[in-house]
Amino acid sequence: MKFLRSLIISALFLFIAQARTETSYLSDLENYAFKQTKTNSLIIQYKGKIIFQKYSDQWTADKPHLLWSMSKSIINQLIGIAVYEGRLTLEESICVKLPELKESPYCKITIDNLLSFASGLKWNEAYEESITESSPISMLYGKNPNGMAAFILAEPHTVAQTPGSQAMYSSGDSVILSKILQRTYSTTEYATLPWKKWAKKIGISSLVFEQDRSGNFVGSSSAYLTAQDTLKWGQFLLNNGAIGNSQILPKWWMSHSTEITPAYLKGRMITSPEDRMSRQWWINRSVPSLNADKAWGNAPEDTYAASGHWGQRLIVIPSEDMIIVRYGEDKEEGTFKTNTLLRLARQLAQNRTLPDIDTSEANAHLVTEHYDPGLSYGGWPKKLAEIKLFGAYKAKEYCSCFYVMKQTAEYCKEFVKNKAVPGFLAPLRHNEKQKEVGVNSHTARFISEQYGCKLIN
């Protein structure tokens, strides 16, 4: 009887200790996600079960969130589908689908070069901190009547490096991939491609994918998903690109998409020790030949992620059957750290304390000097050029914030703020009846629930 009583008491104390531990790990995660950083949505699934799901006050489960550069990983999926269908090959020149470039230096670029961020094109992947020198900002918000791909595949974006010889993150490469897809499928097929051949098969219903003036999907940055639908995407990836017995991607596709690329081994233009890009995905593989440790010390090597501006993440850990979906608005660089989230999420899942392993110093030698391609899209005076570009940004992104992400006017005004251009220099005009947003000479219009918003002038 005494033995039984002792056993029960020991079990009770163990249960209490475990409960306290679980509470502590949960508290640490919530504190980091919703107090120390600006998280909008966070879902963690472990071994097929959701162990954490929370949204900030402005967000709910049914609101699509801007993915920013997570959109690039959707383009990876669509290219994989086209390869599986035999519509294109990774080795082919981009001029096969873009014959107007025939006999130009651009024909040396292959589809795999683009997937690997290794086109060799002259490009400056800067953002808000350098508005008139930023290639993506001029691509997205400049007046490009023939579309964004035409802007990229023209002066001053010459082939500056041998294609395939250097990995350099570029939104331009992703948009050209979108244009390749547009030329691969018929007009009717392309109009429904992301939904019919990918999203609906996975069970995703919230996808919004915006287009440029040429009808090309903005594969660099303009897709939207709810966090719960992004979780479905993660499960699809854990299933190796299959739904039940139906294969949608080649069985080798995700392994190929998350390996160290030949271009990365040959040369890199890297601004952070965490920059370990593969084929439109971010990976965690160590690289012994480069004396490089894992990018994220707090996670297994097979971890990979779709990653976007301001802290958007879909993180997949196949070896642990784990998916993390995180949406946020951490506009100050360095505020949100993927490595920290990985440790806290894995601690909660495994109910044990994990060491905090920071590999940034070990990988510091990989970081290159700041790349200055000498590009400028502003003209003179610079401040006027900044106002023009920011005005287009403000009109388009306010439109998408209000009509696609379904946020309030007050929220959207904060969402589009930029310290480089005071608000009074770029006043908003919102015509709810016409579903248009204007800033100075720029106007964005809500097109549809499927295609979101578009700059129309």
Side-chain angles (χ1 to χ4, degrees), residues 112-415:
D112 197 45
N113 292 154
L114 294 173
L115 275 171
S116 305
F117 296 114
S119 67
L121 291 174
K122 199 173 186 181
W123 191 259
N124 185 15
E125 192 72 18
Y127 304 111
E128 298 96 333
E129 72 280 1
S130 184
I131 295 175
T132 57
E133 286 75 41
S134 165
S135 300
I137 287 179
S138 281
M139 175 188 75
L140 293 166
Y141 308 110
K143 296 205 174 198
N144 301 311
N146 298 318
M148 297 179 188
F151 166 82
I152 302 160
L153 294 166
E155 292 283 352
H157 309 120
T158 56
V159 181
Q161 302 285 339
T162 301
S165 67
Q166 182 187 73
M168 184 182 77
Y169 183 65
S170 167
S171 291
D173 288 4
S174 308
V175 170
I176 301 171
L177 286 172
S178 297
K179 179 59 70 173
I180 295 290
L181 288 166
Q182 190 180 30
R183 296 292 182 81
T184 298
Y185 292 91
S186 70
T187 302
T188 303
E189 285 179 307
Y190 185 72
T192 61
L193 176 66
W195 297 274
K196 186 175 181 179
K197 291 185 178 289
W198 182 70
K200 288 184 178 179
K201 291 188 177 183
I202 299 173
I204 288 173
S205 60
S206 66
L207 176 65
V208 179
F209 215 147
E210 294 174 332
Q211 299 177 326
D212 68 7
R213 289 179 171 92
S214 73
N216 189 27
F217 292 111
V218 186
S220 60
S221 49
S222 295
Y224 302 74
L225 285 172
T226 63
Q228 289 183 341
D229 272 352
T230 303
L231 184 68
K232 293 176 185 176
W233 179 14
Q235 187 59 55
F236 170 71
L237 296 169
L238 284 181
N239 295 340
N240 199 29
I243 299 296
N245 295 323
S246 177
Q247 198 71 33
I248 297 175
L249 296 171
K251 290 184 178 179
W252 51 267
W253 185 255
M254 288 313 300
S255 175
H256 184 69
S257 295
T258 57
E259 68 179 7
I260 297 294
T261 65
Y264 188 91
L265 291 172
K266 291 175 185 176
R268 296 147 305 284
M269 187 61 64
I270 293 172
T271 59
S272 165
E274 288 190 4
D275 288 352
R276 198 72 49 85
M277 67 280 279
S278 184
R279 293 177 171 90
Q280 309 292 299
W281 293 93
W282 297 91
I283 62 175
N284 201 35
R285 303 287 181 187
S286 59
V287 193
S289 63
L290 298 177
N291 195 28
D293 204 343
K294 295 182 295 183
W296 305 306
N298 290 333
E301 283 215 11
D302 65 339
T303 303
Y304 61 92
S307 179
H309 202 39
W310 299 348
Q312 320 316 317
R313 299 288 186 275
L314 164 61
I315 304 171
V316 180
I317 311 178
S319 61
E320 296 184 354
D321 192 8
M322 190 170 186
I323 305 165
I324 304 169
V325 178
R326 191 267 183 180
Y327 292 153
E329 282 178 61
D330 293 282
K331 297 182 180 182
E332 295 297 324
E333 189 175 349
T335 304
F336 168 76
K337 296 183 182 298
T338 303
N339 198 41
T340 301
L341 177 64
L342 281 163
R343 179 176 65 86
L344 296 174
R346 293 178 67 235
Q347 280 189 164
L348 178 65
Q350 299 176 25
N351 192 31
R352 65 189 181 101
T353 302
L354 298 174
D356 189 2
I357 304 172
D358 184 355
T359 57
S360 57
E361 284 193 23
N363 293 326
H365 66 285
L366 297 173
V367 178
T368 53
E369 294 182 8
H370 176 67
Y371 174 57
D372 182 7
L375 295 172
S376 178
Y377 305 95
W380 186 259
K382 182 177 178 180
K383 179 54 70 175
L384 180 59
E386 287 182 345
I387 293 168
K388 286 181 178 179
L389 283 167
F390 179 67
Y393 160 84
K394 193 172 181 180
K396 157 62 183 62
E397 299 308 336
Y398 181 96
C399 179
S400 297
C401 177
F402 191 84
Y403 290 108
V404 180
M405 296 197 288
K406 306 181 189 306
Q407 291 292 350
T408 65
E410 290 72 22
Y411 181 97
C412 293
K413 286 175 185 177
E414 289 296 316
F415 183 79

